[in-house]
Amino acid sequence: MVLEVLKLVRNYWAATLVPMGLVIGWWLDRRNDSFLTTCRNRSALYKRELKPGEEFTWK
């Protein structure tokens, strides 16, 4: 099974590695976005609570 997969990757490396790179890049981008939203409006950085009715500076 593993040898068959390696054989397919060797024969069709562009058709297999390019989509894998896109998926991994998409996953890393989503992970980075989720980290950045935790620091939104600096409330997590400075331990400041938002005032009632106060909007986020970015969404």
Side-chain angles (χ1 to χ4, degrees), residues 23-47:
V23 169
I24 291 171
W26 174 79
W27 177 75
L28 288 173
D29 189 43
R30 296 282 300 214
R31 194 176 110 194
N32 190 36
D33 285 348
S34 69
F35 170 73
L36 290 176
T37 56
T38 59
C39 297
R40 185 181 345 189
N41 206 27
R42 298 182 182 176
S43 60
L45 292 174
Y46 297 106
K47 305 291 186 226

